[in-house]
Amino acid sequence: MSFSTVGPLPFGNVEDIPHDNWEEAVASIRPDIVYGLLNWGAIGWVYDVVRRLPDIPFAWHYKEGPQLAVSMGNWQELAWLYRHASLRIFLNDTVRQWFELFLPSKPVLTMIMDGDMPKKDYFKDTFSPKLSEADGEVHTVCAGRLIGIRETSVKALVRNRIHLHLYLENFFAAKEKLFAYFAEAYSGYFHIHSHCSPDRWTEEFSKYDAAWLHCIRSANYGDLYDASWDDLNIPARLSTYMAAALPVIQYDNTGHIVAVERCVRNLGIGMQFHDIDHLSDMLHDKILMAGLQANVMRHRMSFCFDRHVPELIDKFRIAIKERQS
């Protein structure tokens, strides 16, 4: 799967154990806690492991996504993992509230933490000059799929002299003909770029003025029971944009529950637009953009994993102590 990985991992302090007779290896290690994560494909395996290790405290950290788990037939195992976890780690507070609609009401140790945050090593100070400083036009970037951006949107961007720079590797083949058409029909304003590795995020993406999140249109009308995964999600690209200190762009879903919109509004790190002309007005508002840029710089390091490690370790220690008492 495009968002999953297996070892060996490209960093140290990870000991791989064999699948065969893994219980014997765990017994020899004598772990203090089991940390299960992160996406729906891991649910069955983590469920099996935890059921076989009932005496070890267990932290369950899940992200992508509860509705997908339902459609894949994993809901019973997912609910069991949350019911029996010594520590529940949720992507955001909206996700916590959603799960608590279906989980037994009881005091349980919890934490809010995105599982897709990069290490602080990628939050560099290698900022580049803005392209807009050279040509006087607005340059926006999308690192990943163009979600909610159609040809009518691209036409409106071109009319407002706003560039769209697309960096996409996964899923590119499915839209290759469409993007080739965009690049030809809107030459000079729709740009396709090759993959940018994490160690170059700051240098490469900081050239732009703002960055596109998932421009979804919610339909839950404030009812959490009707929230979709798009409503609950925090797209992984948000941390990438924060590494490059970029204000973000998303559709305005006022009146609906959209977790990433709450995050962006609360921190003041982006724009919510009604249509492209509205977005153009904001992107050309130098005072507004300077304020957003300052807020991004103030909050950007909270989107790296290292910032949350002390709290995570503290919660691990509490879970271990509570099991021992």
Side-chain angles (χ1 to χ4, degrees):
M1 299 177 64
S2 61
F3 50 76
S4 300
T5 187
V6 294
L9 298 170
F11 43 81
N13 300 317
V14 175
E15 179 182 347
D16 292 311
I17 62 175
H19 182 274
D20 296 334
N21 301 317
W22 64 266
E23 289 173 90
E24 295 180 11
V26 170
S28 66
I29 295 169
R30 300 175 61 193
D32 297 297
I33 192 166
V34 174
Y35 185 19
L37 67 173
L38 179 69
N39 296 310
W40 72 267
I43 293 173
W45 169 241
V46 176
Y47 174 80
D48 185 50
V49 168
V50 174
R51 289 293 296 260
R52 298 192 196 189
L53 302 173
D55 298 325
I56 303 175
F58 162 58
W60 178 228
H61 188 178
Y62 183 64
K63 176 168 182 176
E64 185 118 14
Q67 290 86 350
L68 185 56
V70 171
S71 67
M72 299 302 293
N74 296 120
W75 172 252
Q76 295 297 328
E77 291 87 353
L78 176 59
W80 188 96
L81 289 170
Y82 266 125
R83 287 200 307 270
H84 292 83
S86 303
L87 168 61
R88 297 173 177 175
I89 305 178
F90 298 99
L91 167 62
N92 55 57
D93 199 55
T94 304
V95 169
R96 179 190 61 79
Q97 294 171 10
W98 187 92
F99 270 105
E100 289 178 352
L101 295 173
F102 309 102
L103 297 173
S105 178
K106 63 178 183 178
V108 179
L109 187 65
T110 64
M111 179 178 174
I112 304 298
M113 186 178 73
D114 191 343
D116 280 332
M117 290 182 294
K119 281 184 61 58
K120 67 179 180 181
D121 307 55
Y122 303 123
F123 287 66
K124 299 182 178 182
D125 295 325
T126 53
F127 299 106
S128 298
K130 301 290 185 185
L131 296 176
S132 56
E133 294 174 359
D135 63 13
E137 298 186 342
V138 173
H139 291 258
T140 65
V141 63
C142 180
R145 292 174 292 162
L146 282 176
I147 297 179
I149 304 173
R150 299 174 177 83
E151 184 173 6
T152 54
S153 306
V154 177
K155 284 182 178 180
L157 289 171
V158 174
R159 186 178 68 247
N160 285 280
R161 304 181 72 82
I162 298 171
H163 297 251
L164 197 162
H165 297 258
L166 175 64
Y167 291 74
L168 180 64
E169 191 162 276
N170 288 348
F171 305 102
F172 185 85
K175 300 281 187 176
E176 185 174 5
K177 291 183 178 178
L178 177 63
F179 295 151
Y181 163 70
F182 282 174
E184 180 178 356
Y186 308 105
S187 176
Y189 283 90
F190 187 87
H191 313 269
I192 300 174
H193 299 266
S194 58
H195 171 73
C196 178
S197 60
D199 64 327
R200 295 185 58 250
W201 281 347
T202 304
E203 176 186 357
E204 181 69 16
F205 295 141
S206 62
K207 296 186 298 187
Y208 304 112
D209 299 296
W212 295 87
L213 287 173
H214 298 178
C215 291
I216 61 107
R217 301 201 177 199
S218 178
N220 63 56
Y221 297 96
D223 188 341
L224 197 54
Y225 280 104
D226 289 332
S228 68
W229 171 236
D230 285 328
D231 296 326
L232 302 179
N233 187 26
I234 300 290
R237 69 183 68 175
L238 179 58
S239 290
T240 299
Y241 295 152
M242 292 299 102
L246 287 177
V248 296
I249 303 167
Q250 58 185 165
Y251 186 74
D252 189 339
N253 283 290
T254 300
H256 303 276
I257 298 171
V258 179
V260 69
E261 187 167 335
R262 286 180 173 178
C263 172
V264 171
R265 286 185 186 274
N266 288 342
L267 298 179
I269 57 174
M271 295 154 277
Q272 293 79 32
F273 69 94
H274 306 296
D275 55 42
I276 299 300
D277 291 331
H278 177 218
L279 174 61
S280 177
D281 290 340
M282 290 187 285
L283 287 169
H284 286 94
D285 186 333
K286 293 185 178 180
I287 295 177
L288 172 64
M289 294 302 295
L292 294 176
Q293 183 72 56
N295 288 337
V296 170
M297 289 300 296
R298 186 178 301 115
H299 296 291
R300 70 188 285 253
M301 296 307 295
S302 66
F303 290 86
C304 73
F305 175 70
D306 305 66
R307 179 63 63 87
H308 303 270
V309 168
E311 181 185 0
L312 178 63
I313 294 174
D314 286 345
K315 291 293 176 69
F316 282 169
R317 294 188 187 281
I318 294 171
I320 294 167
K321 185 176 180 180
E322 288 181 348
R323 178 60 67 90
Q324 293 172 342
S325 62

